[in-house]
Amino acid sequence: MIFDGPNDTRSRPSDFPESEIRAIARLMGSVIAAKGGHAAKKRRLLDGLARIVNADGWSWTLHAQPSNQPPMLLDFMKAGFTARRFSIYQKFAAARLDGPIGTVTANYLRELLPGRDTGFGPALFSSASHPGQGSSLIGIFRKATSGGFTNRETAICELVLSEIPWLHAQGFPSEPTSRGRGLSCRLAAVLELLRKGHSRKQIADDLGISLNTVHGYIRMLYLHFKVNSHSALLQTCLHGDPSPPPNERSRIAG
Amino acid sequence: MNEAELLAEDDSRAIVRLLGEVAGHPGDHAAKKRHLMKGLCRIIDADRWAWGLAAQMEPDKPSVHLSLLHGGFNEETYAAFTQAYNHPEMSALHAGFAKELGERGCHLTRLRQHLDPEEDYKKTAAYPFWKKADIDGVIMALRPLDATRVSLIGIYRRNGAGLFTERENRIAHILLSEVPVLHTEGWPDDHGITLPSLSARQRTVMALLVQGYTRGGIATQLGISPHTVNEYIKTVFKHFGVHSQAGLMTRFRRGDGGDI
């Protein structure tokens, strides 16, 4: 994984009030205590981070960037988006991957996406590159009518998102990811979404492909893993607990 | 602690990074504790650490605790450390801390300089053991778990390297006080509540047996005859109702799921 130094167009005080570090440490304590695998812990951490900085939503997207092709969505998690608004945002996220690595403050999503309504305004982004896999983007958002994130809130997000690499990754360092099993980008993406409990129709919508194409990919997955059924497929490649199935309108827990 | 205090950026980053690693660690609670302690020692330049349970913290009674997890010791320094913390003359020095813990009922982290500003411990018969354990700087963290258990952590620095500072104490406090699950989980079912009825020497022998020392090793480290060691061991086995060292070790590793 590659992080460049923080990309600053804003000044950032270098020290942190102890109360902020304690709040982050307390959140990490609850993540350590939480049951579940990587996805459940990522969700809990990002929900908690959003609470600390008074945000209304967040997203994590992972895109492959094959040469001469548009970026392909491999995996994602989100909170605070409707499905429709997320598909608008997701296309923007793909385009943003050529931007600077590190945390930047965006003014408003509607300035970056003129005329499109994601439901959100102020946003903070953190991107990372995963050699051999693709690029990830984490966004922290507030409703469109809200004031912008403060310097402190930005510093807190930058600290957490840059010092905990598994937030940007698809699994903990000790776990093999789907990609490492010799699958193509697209098959790995389908497998990951199946593991998370998405239906075939949802997968088709998420990846922007036809339902028939999804059927075809799933047949290829059965062949790859030498299984005959959906449950056998999930059993073969289950590592850690799957995250809860996505809601149409996920809300930040708690 | 003053809410307006600032933490240096490097320290802040190190704390968040370490907690992220512990959250992503694949092992059980004991493994996570070890990773946390190793990381903390790296951040504040500590050499050894021990994490255990205190069975007796009333200020007017001798303090009794049992170290279960540790790092940075060898066979000799660990045996010396066990004799040092079990030494009867250490009780008076712990009394103030135990009293404060009883009154405040919350997680406390203290430098040895706070607990023993006059360095009275150097005048006790326990001092040669602390020297032999190569321990000079000390940070102690205590967290009451319930009516009968206190989670107890010691962080130690070698002789001649200077004492721990307020900054290092604060880092240890933040890291250790915000992960309650590591304090409450992963301990054996036997919390050592019956330890106070053993003598200091019996407790020392028991602590070394639990860590896997041989009878010969215990005799050598304690400077007593193998016959005397065997007498102590018989008493300890009878006290806990076990018939072998393996039985004793199981008793104090059960509930952990893995190697202490």
Side-chain angles (χ1 to χ4, degrees), chain A residues 14 16 18 22 158 163 166, chain B residues 5 7 9 13 17 20:
Chain A
S14 50
F16 286 84
E18 184 178 327
R22 287 175 154 287
E158 201 277 329
E163 293 297 341
W166 57 260
Chain B
E5 296 276 11
L7 268 172
E9 180 181 0
R13 289 185 172 279
R17 192 178 323 130

Side-chain angles (χ1 to χ4, degrees), chain A residues 59 81 85 88-90 92-93 96 105-125 137 139-144:
Chain A
S59 74
F81 283 90
R85 284 172 165 171
I88 293 170
Y89 167 76
Q90 186 267 114
F92 153 80
R96 197 178 166 81
T105 309
N107 290 328
Y108 285 91
L109 266 188
R110 63 169 173 265
E111 287 179 26
L112 298 167
L113 284 167
R116 312 303 312 276
D117 176 27
T118 57
F120 292 123
L124 296 172
F125 295 108
L137 185 72
I140 312 281
F141 310 103
R142 270 197 189 139
K143 289 195 169 32

Side-chain angles (χ1 to χ4, degrees), chain A residues 135-246:
Chain A
S135 301
S136 59
L137 185 72
I138 293 176
I140 312 281
F141 310 103
R142 270 197 189 139
K143 289 195 169 32
T145 47
S146 309
F149 289 103
T150 64
N151 281 341
R152 293 310 324 147
E153 289 161 345
T154 304
I156 289 169
C157 285
E158 201 277 329
L159 175 62
V160 172
L161 297 177
S162 64
E163 293 297 341
I164 304 181
W166 57 260
L167 278 175
H168 271 282
Q170 242 182 333
F172 291 129
S174 52
E175 295 165 359
T177 61
S178 306
R179 193 80 180 86
R181 293 167 188 263
L183 293 172
S184 73
C185 281
R186 191 62 99 184
L187 285 185
V190 171
L191 181 63
E192 193 53 38
L193 295 172
L194 280 175
R195 221 175 53 77
K196 290 206 165 96
H198 294 230
S199 70
R200 296 182 184 221
K201 178 76 177 66
Q202 277 172 319
I203 293 175
D205 291 341
D206 294 334
L207 299 180
I209 53 184
S210 78
L211 192 53
N212 270 334
T213 311
V214 175
H215 290 324
Y217 284 146
I218 292 179
R219 268 198 299 274
M220 287 200 275
L221 284 171
Y222 284 5
L223 278 172
H224 180 90
F225 288 105
K226 301 183 176 53
V227 296
N228 292 321
S229 70
H230 189 79
S231 54
L233 180 68
L234 290 181
Q235 254 181 327
T236 309
C237 62
L238 202 67
H239 52 85
D241 302 301
S243 66

Side-chain angles (χ1 to χ4, degrees), chain B residues 29-37 51 69 182 185-187:
Chain B
H29 281 108
K32 288 181 162 53
K33 281 180 176 77
R34 286 185 183 286
H35 191 92
L36 180 67
M37 294 309 298
W51 196 331
L69 283 173
L182 292 183
E185 302 296 318
W187 293 123

